[in-house]
Amino acid sequence: MTQGWRQLDVGVLGGGIGGMSVAIALRRAGHRVTIYEKHDFAGEVGASVSCAANGTRWLHEWGVDVEKGDPVVLKKLINRDWHTGEPVSTFDLDDYEEKWGYVYNMFHRQYMHRMLKDCAMQEKGEGIPVKLLVNHACQEIDLRTSTVTFKNGVQMQHDLIIGADGIGSAARGILGILPAKRPAEQSCLHANVSTEQAVKLGLVDYSQNAALEYWGGQEGKWDKIVLSPCNGGKLLSYYCFFPRDKGDYTTQAWGADSLPVEDLLAPYPELDAQVKAHLAIGVEVQPWRLWVHDPYPYIQKANVCLLGDAAHPMMPHQSQGACMAIEDAAALGIIFNKAYFQGDVREALEVYEKVRLPRATRVQAAAAKAAYNINERIGFSANKGKCATYKVEDEKKKLTIEEMNAYDMYKDIEEKLTTIRGEKFLAPFIAGLPIGLEMPNGVTVGA
């Protein structure tokens, strides 16, 4: 145990996937955690959420019961021709667990959230069970005294405050970060399709592929369909992208009445008939507002930090949004644990920013590129020489699966911590990546 370690009283603003994750991580690190959720329940909206190995590893490290989330373990990434549905490019995940130590899970958001909430609040397991308070919307934070004032009049003081309150974060504005954001060139509608109903109608059973499947995305256009199976394959979650001039949903929030299925089909007159037949039986058609945020200059101030979409909102095209929130949570859990934390919250949050902001910003930029070129997406970006339509903006700058999954967060934290403390970092790593690692983009770490 590091001399000077002390137990903190932590307040987490927001009870979504990021908020629950950081609550678990800090509970495991020995701290007392209270989650404040602004709504009258803590939950998630939407359907599927990707959790690649760089996210899944922390679920296991924290002792989360992953099976409760009823995941689909992905076996492939498949890109299909827009018109015919024939595979254009695939990326095989058969040796994924063997290579990276963990599987690539696809969860239903609500199931994943319940899985994390149960882990955070249950009596069993290391640490003090997390406390959850609903109907607590943040109104103000006194940065000098670390006191949160909620809209219901309640005031609470904490040693550490974490803004995990999403893309419309109140905490972010209080820290003085005013996003330079603009509507994306794309719009997106989401729909759920029952595998059982699709099979009854004689349609293709895509659940058998256990794959993330994409139509389009190769032609430098905004049209793209993304299919992600969840709930053990019983539900097919479709994200349907198209140019914003074909339908602008930037002012519409998720959770209103379902839109007519005709709105979902209208942008796609020439789409592969099989997947279009799936979309025709789609339910819960909802708009997903897409905004492009420039990277923030900082994500912490005083005894407050930001996490997940509050810290680095990104386009969905690298399927890394949830993983980045989980990694944020893991970083805080490590930095504040008994091996590293010496009682100085300011030092710890400086390390957190130095560890998380560069990595999340890199993924953020790569997600924007993958919006109009699927070859920039992790996995497909390894297909140089294997796919006739392969082309990326800059080979040296593309994001690779090695960069995401060979990353050692402990080493990254140790490097930043020793630098801040004026000590020497001797391990053969740079920013969490092993020196000498050769990546498929031609970059060798440390060369």
Side-chain angles (χ1 to χ4, degrees):
M1 184 184 292
T2 302
Q3 191 177 3
W5 184 88
R6 61 192 172 99
Q7 185 182 70
L8 300 179
D9 187 355
V10 183
V12 177
L13 308 177
I17 284 171
M20 289 296 166
S21 295
V22 77
I24 297 168
L26 289 169
R27 169 185 171 168
R28 295 289 187 251
H31 304 288
R32 291 182 176 276
V33 185
T34 304
I35 296 174
Y36 300 97
E37 169 55 46
K38 67 180 177 182
H39 298 297
D40 58 1
F41 73 103
E44 280 282 339
V45 294
S48 62
V49 58
S50 283
C51 194
N54 63 305
T56 297
R57 66 159 296 169
W58 300 109
L59 303 181
H60 288 285
E61 186 154 324
W62 298 332
V64 175
D65 183 354
V66 173
E67 291 310 306
K68 265 190 189 174
D70 195 19
V72 170
V73 174
L74 293 183
K75 299 296 181 192
K76 274 186 172 60
L77 305 179
I78 303 172
N79 182 217
R80 296 182 179 277
D81 181 87
W82 183 259
H83 304 281
T84 67
E86 287 299 310
V88 175
S89 175
T90 62
F91 184 74
D92 210 310
L93 300 172
D94 278 347
D95 62 348
Y96 187 87
E97 184 178 13
E98 184 186 334
K99 249 185 189 173
W100 307 117
Y102 301 91
V103 299
Y104 192 140
N105 284 307
M106 204 78 216
F107 292 105
H108 189 298
R109 274 181 188 273
Q110 283 92 322
Y111 281 62
M112 183 183 192
H113 182 269
R114 195 178 314 139
M115 167 189 92
L116 292 168
K117 181 167 167 264
D118 288 352
C119 183
M121 300 179 69
Q122 69 193 7
E123 289 294 328
K124 69 176 185 180
E126 191 180 349
I128 303 158
V130 171
K131 192 174 170 185
L132 170 64
L133 297 175
V134 295
N135 293 312
H136 279 65
C138 172
Q139 180 172 304
E140 191 50 73
I141 303 172
D142 186 327
L143 298 178
R144 188 178 50 83
T145 63
S146 300
T147 302
V148 188
T149 302
F150 297 95
K151 289 181 180 176
N152 60 10
V154 172
Q155 285 194 323
M156 296 296 286
Q157 189 173 28
H158 291 281
D159 301 312
L160 169 64
I161 298 164
I162 299 165
D165 49 347
I167 195 162
S169 171
R172 182 173 61 214
I174 292 164
L175 292 190
I177 302 167
L178 304 171
K181 67 173 189 174
R182 56 201 174 277
E185 296 293 330
Q186 278 175 316
S187 290
C188 180
L189 289 177
H190 174 268
N192 287 324
V193 171
S194 157
T195 298
E196 184 182 9
Q197 189 184 358
V199 171
K200 272 184 184 172
L201 292 171
L203 304 178
V204 173
D205 183 359
Y206 290 119
S207 73
Q208 295 297 312
N209 299 336
L212 264 176
E213 308 201 36
Y214 301 78
W215 281 257
Q218 290 271 15
E219 301 90 2
K221 297 175 184 172
W222 298 115
D223 293 310
K224 182 165 66 180
I225 306 290
V226 183
L227 158 61
S228 43
C230 53
N231 281 149
K234 296 183 285 295
L235 190 71
L236 304 174
S237 181
Y238 281 97
Y239 294 88
C240 304
F241 299 92
F242 46 88
R244 191 154 52 92
D245 58 19
K246 288 188 185 176
D248 189 344
Y249 297 94
T250 48
T251 59
Q252 295 187 36
W254 202 303
D257 291 341
S258 179
L259 295 169
V261 76
E262 288 74 22
D263 288 13
L264 188 65
L265 299 174
Y268 306 124
E270 298 176 344
L271 178 61
D272 167 26
Q274 270 292 344
V275 72
K276 195 164 181 177
H278 269 238
L279 297 182
I281 58 168
V283 296
E284 298 166 339
V285 179
Q286 294 281 339
W288 188 7
R289 292 181 292 186
L290 298 176
W291 293 85
V292 180
H293 286 236
D294 293 333
Y296 302 153
Y298 57 92
I299 54 172
Q300 53 82 33
K301 186 188 278 189
N303 285 14
V304 183
C305 69
L306 304 175
L307 176 147
D309 281 348
H312 39 70
M314 58 186 67
M315 297 286 277
H317 303 286
Q318 291 290 358
S319 309
Q320 275 285 324
C323 284
M324 288 296 101
I326 291 168
E327 281 195 0
D328 291 346
L332 288 167
I334 295 167
I335 291 164
F336 284 99
N337 77 13
K338 290 169 185 175
Y340 300 108
F341 182 49
Q342 294 183 351
D344 185 344
V345 173
R346 285 298 314 131
E347 176 190 76
L349 291 185
E350 284 177 32
V351 171
Y352 171 68
E353 182 176 276
K354 286 178 187 297
V355 167
R356 294 305 305 148
L357 201 51
R359 183 164 161 89
T361 297
R362 171 121 168 87
V363 176
Q364 196 179 32
K369 281 184 186 174
Y372 55 87
N373 181 359
I374 202 165
N375 298 298
E376 297 276 4
R377 194 226 184 260
I378 306 159
F380 293 127
S381 65
N383 278 346
K384 184 182 180 184
K386 301 176 189 172
C387 168
T389 57
Y390 176 89
K391 188 180 181 183
V392 296
E393 187 180 298
D394 185 334
E395 274 294 326
K396 297 277 188 188
K397 291 182 181 174
K398 72 184 182 185
L399 194 62
T400 68
I401 203 163
E402 287 77 8
E403 186 175 344
M404 299 311 298
N405 291 345
Y407 173 72
D408 187 324
M409 189 184 288
Y410 284 94
K411 292 291 186 286
D412 197 5
I413 287 168
E414 286 167 14
E415 182 183 0
K416 305 300 192 293
L417 200 51
T418 51
T419 303
I420 281 179
R421 290 177 181 169
E423 300 163 4
K424 280 190 176 177
F425 179 68
L426 300 174
F429 284 80
I430 295 174
L433 292 173
I435 290 174
L437 174 69
E438 294 179 9
M439 294 193 283
N441 57 1
V443 172
T444 300
V445 178

